[in-house]
Amino acid sequence: MTSAHKHKTVSLVLGSGGARGLAHIGVIHWLREHGYRIQSITGCSMGALVGGIYAAGKLDQYEEWVRSVTRRDIMALLDLTWDKGGLVRGDKLIDTLIDLVGDVHIEDLGIHFTAVATDLHSQKEVWINTGRLFDGIRASIAIPLLFTPFKYRGHVLVDGGVLNPVPIAPAFHDDTDMTLAVNLNAPVVENEEEVRQVSEVEVTPASPVRDRINRFIQRWQQNMAADAHGDWGAYEVAIQAFDTMQSSIARQKLAVYPPDRIIEVSRNACQLLEFNRAAEMIDLGYRKAEECLGVKR
């Protein structure tokens, strides 16, 4: 820890990007190890999820679990509906996280926290900074066509990345030393290994936390074969289009409202639902933070 960084306060803006958002964990680790104090967090989609869990003081438990998540676990958490509003309800995921973190309220967090969602009817951003933490997170992660919209206080909400993938505005009036944004929709990296591959033996082994969450998942297990008629291909195309849209909006927003510092993660670092690559993404976030904020020699 350097004396120059000790106790420096940060407004942390965590962007949207599916499983790439696990890089936010690595960024937070780097900041804490180097003496920065995160005073507020604004999160969109996966940024809201990671930021909210950190603000609740449960990031270590979440990281322990997500590092051992497999593709099978991911499928078990996707409660398929084939509903016209979306492919996945999201109840399994949110209930699993509540089981891990607790059903806490934003007002009780030790860090000022805002989850950003999009109101489909008014076509405006909605900043959620009161009420149940996982209501805010569920609204913010409602990726169109993938997750069903979330009804919240008379509003129909979807992913905040529809309008603002890197939501800096809620941090405008923070009294901190630095606004740091993490953009998960940076340009595609060509001819470069963006992430260091992690072998199977490096995956976190079973633990009491892992076992507890697995038991919860098993209670939700359903026979997926009955739903095999769904057309995943169409949703994959839609998600790719959504990623492209977010990348374009992020560039525009960051040009108009530049933060003090920005950490850029390429949008091809991993795919939307590749949560089984948690170790790689966390390591990538840590390295990107070092590149952006580390002392240059």
Side-chain angles (χ1 to χ4, degrees):
M1 179 187 304
T2 65
S3 58
H5 293 159
K6 191 174 183 179
H7 305 312
K8 190 170 187 178
T9 57
V10 177
S11 295
L12 187 58
V13 179
L14 302 178
S16 61
R20 294 191 299 279
L22 295 170
H24 294 321
I25 298 174
V27 172
I28 290 171
H29 283 329
W30 192 96
L31 291 172
R32 295 178 65 187
E33 288 178 14
H34 291 80
Y36 291 89
R37 182 161 59 87
I38 300 170
Q39 192 163 298
S40 78
I41 295 177
T42 299
C44 176
S45 197
M46 192 61 186
L49 191 153
V50 171
I53 291 175
Y54 172 72
K58 298 290 186 177
L59 188 63
D60 289 344
Q61 291 89 329
Y62 174 71
E63 180 182 353
E64 182 180 0
W65 172 62
V66 80
R67 279 180 176 271
S68 61
V69 161
T70 66
R71 289 184 177 90
R72 182 179 178 183
D73 295 333
I74 296 167
M75 292 305 300
L77 287 170
L78 298 181
D79 41 355
L80 303 181
T81 69
W82 312 118
D83 183 85
K84 61 182 180 181
L87 181 65
V88 177
R89 280 193 303 270
D91 294 344
K92 289 185 182 180
L93 173 62
I94 294 301
D95 287 343
T96 300
L97 293 174
I98 289 174
D99 189 63
L100 180 65
V101 175
D103 193 6
V104 299
H105 281 68
I106 295 174
E107 299 93 324
D108 298 328
L109 301 177
I111 295 173
H112 182 70
F113 173 76
T114 302
V116 177
T118 300
D119 187 319
L120 280 180
H121 293 155
S122 69
Q123 300 180 355
K124 295 180 180 179
E125 291 180 32
V126 175
W127 300 354
I128 302 174
N129 49 31
T130 61
R132 297 176 69 225
L133 173 63
F134 282 100
D135 281 350
I137 290 174
R138 174 60 180 85
S140 191
I141 67 171
I143 299 171
L145 290 181
L146 181 60
F147 284 99
T148 56
F150 185 68
K151 294 180 180 179
Y152 177 80
R153 299 180 181 179
H155 301 273
V156 179
L157 305 181
V158 295
D159 195 306
V162 170
L163 291 178
N164 198 347
V166 194
I168 295 172
F172 278 169
H173 300 296
D174 286 353
D175 184 19
T176 55
D177 298 315
M178 175 178 67
T179 297
L180 172 66
V182 184
N183 175 26
L184 303 177
N185 294 284
V188 170
V189 174
E190 301 289 353
N191 302 319
E192 179 181 340
E193 186 180 11
E194 175 77 318
V195 292
R196 183 167 56 228
Q197 295 298 320
V198 178
S199 67
E200 290 296 327
V201 297
E202 293 178 288
V203 174
T204 303
S207 68
V209 172
R210 163 74 178 176
D211 291 341
R212 180 160 62 92
I213 298 300
N214 278 351
R215 288 196 296 272
F216 186 85
I217 291 173
Q218 288 168 7
R219 293 199 300 269
W220 281 96
Q221 283 281 12
Q222 295 177 335
N223 183 358
M224 302 297 290
D227 293 318
H229 62 276
D231 184 4
W232 276 93
Y235 283 97
E236 289 169 355
V237 171
I239 293 305
Q240 290 296 322
F242 186 61
D243 257 359
T244 301
M245 179 193 74
Q246 285 192 108
S247 180
S248 177
I249 295 173
R251 288 196 302 271
Q252 296 171 23
K253 293 287 187 179
L254 291 169
V256 175
Y257 304 113
D260 296 312
R261 305 295 293 272
I262 182 167
I263 295 171
E264 301 266 22
V265 175
S266 170
R267 69 176 185 270
N268 68 331
C270 79
Q271 296 180 9
L272 181 80
L273 296 177
E274 288 188 311
F275 289 94
N276 53 298
R277 296 176 61 189
E280 297 171 51
M281 291 299 103
I282 294 168
D283 179 68
L284 174 62
Y286 190 94
R287 290 187 284 114
K288 289 294 184 179
E290 174 66 28
E291 291 173 11
C292 178
L293 300 170
V295 177
K296 303 294 190 297
R297 292 181 173 82

